[in-house]
Amino acid sequence: MNAYVYAFFASLVLSLLLTPVARNAAKKYRILDHPDEARKIHKKPVPLLGGLAIYSAFVISAVFFCEITPAAAAIIAGTTLLFILGVADDIKGLPAGIRLAVQMLAVVILLLNGISLHIWNDPGAFARAIEIALTFVWVMGITNALNFFDGMDGLAAGMSVLTGLCLLAFAASVGQYTLALMSAALAGSALGFLKYNFKPAKIYMGDAGSTTLGFALASLGLVANKSPHFSHQVGFIFIIVTFCILIYDMIYITIGRIASGDVKNFKQWLEYTGKDHLHHRLVTLGMSEKRAVLFIYFMVLCAGTGAFLIQRIYTFEAVLVLIQCVIAFVLLTILMLAARRETP
């Protein structure tokens, strides 16, 4: 337990120290996030490069405290690849196709080192092929979903802190030490950055931060999915519930954009940006930005609490928890559709 605490606070302190450095560098080299009425809500340029502090704090703490197993090395390597991609995107912008290709390469690194989604305990060749395909969907989906949530001050960072702590609590309870240490390091790095990113934000994480956090969390979720302490079905439900807010938003906006005709093909889906995400709808319903962020924090915490209980029950009870989540999101969808009608 002391190691988890040390990893968390080492990452936290590093992030607290490095974020002002990253902010000054962003201002010096004019790496700024400029206002954009179509897809952004801030009114003046804000320094980017917060991802530099998040990535550095996470990797330094993880390397120092964790045993570098092939799985841990794969997560660090994939995270590094996504970080480099994000920095390039923040500085000059990259086509969606290049971002997608690099994300796929990062998933391949995970697969080659034994990290993938597991649903069946003893899959045949066809079932295994489905699991591998879903691994790409899972990692790239969660990575981009968290990037989409980086649309309000403190939102993506706070969600990463809470999700990381949920994974830490789970891993510590079942003795998955490497998972626990890496989750602690990730949560600490996001929390240190959050001090400067909560409204009013002094710095943004940029794609270098949001995709780094999203990829790392998605990868750690896959490690949790393969826990030897319960069936793969329970592990699969565990990560679905843990990440259900991100999953819901991704599904909702995809269906909404296709139904409205805003997206007609995969290329348009990759490149489309808009103010139709969960946090935007909550503001449309009358919440302030800060209250919308706090509301989503509580949703993530509620999901994480339910997910933690799943690892202590059997498959049937886990399915009931999943059904309960689905019902809750049906109710949320009713609110989202009401907000959609109010949005020009």
Side-chain angles (χ1 to χ4, degrees):
M1 184 60 69
N2 287 340
Y4 307 150
V5 175
Y6 295 153
F8 176 81
F9 279 103
S11 183
L12 171 64
V13 171
L14 282 171
S15 185
L16 286 170
L17 294 175
L18 292 173
T19 300
V21 176
R23 180 172 182 267
N24 291 335
K27 292 172 69 175
K28 179 180 179 179
Y29 295 104
R30 307 297 297 171
I31 304 174
L32 307 173
D33 191 354
H34 296 278
D36 182 348
E37 186 65 29
R39 58 186 292 266
K40 301 176 182 178
I41 60 176
H42 60 283
K43 304 301 181 183
K44 60 181 181 179
V46 178
L48 284 169
L49 285 188
L52 175 62
I54 294 170
Y55 166 80
S56 301
F58 166 60
V59 171
I60 292 172
S61 182
V63 169
F64 187 83
F65 288 99
C66 296
E67 177 187 358
I68 305 302
T69 62
I75 293 174
I76 292 173
T79 300
T80 301
L81 191 61
L82 267 293
F83 168 70
I84 294 171
L85 173 75
V87 171
D89 195 34
D90 290 334
I91 293 175
K92 59 183 299 183
L94 294 174
I98 293 179
R99 298 199 305 269
L100 183 67
V102 175
Q103 289 176 16
M104 293 179 70
L105 178 59
V107 179
V108 171
I109 293 174
L110 295 180
L111 290 169
L112 292 176
N113 287 274
I115 301 176
S116 68
L117 192 66
H118 292 272
I119 303 174
W120 294 278
N121 293 333
D122 188 21
F126 180 71
R128 185 61 190 142
I130 292 176
E131 290 179 337
I132 291 174
L134 289 177
T135 300
F136 282 92
V137 174
W138 170 264
V139 176
M140 296 168 66
I142 296 298
T143 298
N144 289 289
L146 188 67
N147 185 36
F148 293 158
F149 268 94
D150 187 28
M152 285 185 180
D153 294 356
L155 181 54
M159 294 176 71
S160 299
V161 173
L162 294 173
T163 304
L165 290 176
C166 289
L167 290 172
L168 167 60
F170 158 77
S173 69
V174 298
Q176 288 186 270
Y177 302 115
T178 299
L179 173 60
L181 287 167
M182 296 192 77
S183 298
L186 190 69
S189 68
L191 182 59
F193 172 77
L194 183 60
K195 178 184 184 301
Y196 304 95
N197 183 241
F198 199 76
K199 194 173 181 66
K202 300 178 180 65
I203 183 173
Y204 288 162
M205 66 174 67
D207 281 1
S210 59
T211 55
T212 293
L213 287 170
F215 176 84
L217 286 170
S219 303
L220 293 173
L222 292 178
V223 176
N225 165 223
K226 199 180 176 182
S227 172
H229 298 276
F230 43 70
S231 69
H232 292 329
Q233 289 85 6
V234 173
F236 179 64
I237 294 174
F238 167 79
I239 62 172
I240 291 293
V241 175
T242 301
F243 291 88
C244 62
I245 311 300
L246 295 173
I247 295 170
Y248 170 78
D249 187 68
M250 179 66 79
I251 293 173
Y252 177 85
I253 63 166
T254 298
I255 294 174
R257 291 170 180 179
I258 292 173
S260 64
D262 293 328
V263 169
K264 296 183 175 63
N265 54 56
F266 187 66
K267 184 176 183 293
Q268 290 181 355
W269 181 84
L270 285 175
E271 297 176 346
Y272 187 92
T273 57
K275 296 180 180 179
D276 55 351
H277 294 280
L278 173 59
H279 44 289
H280 298 128
R281 299 299 177 191
L282 293 175
V283 170
T284 302
L285 285 172
M287 291 187 183
S288 65
E289 291 177 24
K290 185 177 292 187
R291 287 184 178 179
V293 169
L294 293 175
F295 181 82
I296 295 174
Y297 284 179
F298 279 108
M299 291 177 67
V300 174
L301 189 59
C302 181
T305 303
F308 181 79
L309 295 176
I310 285 175
Q311 51 98 8
R312 298 181 178 275
I313 57 183
Y314 296 102
T315 304
F316 177 73
E317 290 85 352
V319 171
L320 291 180
V321 174
L322 183 61
I323 292 173
Q324 184 181 40
C325 284
V326 171
I327 293 172
F329 281 114
V330 169
L331 297 176
L332 181 60
T333 301
I334 295 173
L335 293 176
M336 294 275 279
L337 291 174
R340 189 181 183 88
R341 286 193 294 269
E342 295 297 325
T343 303

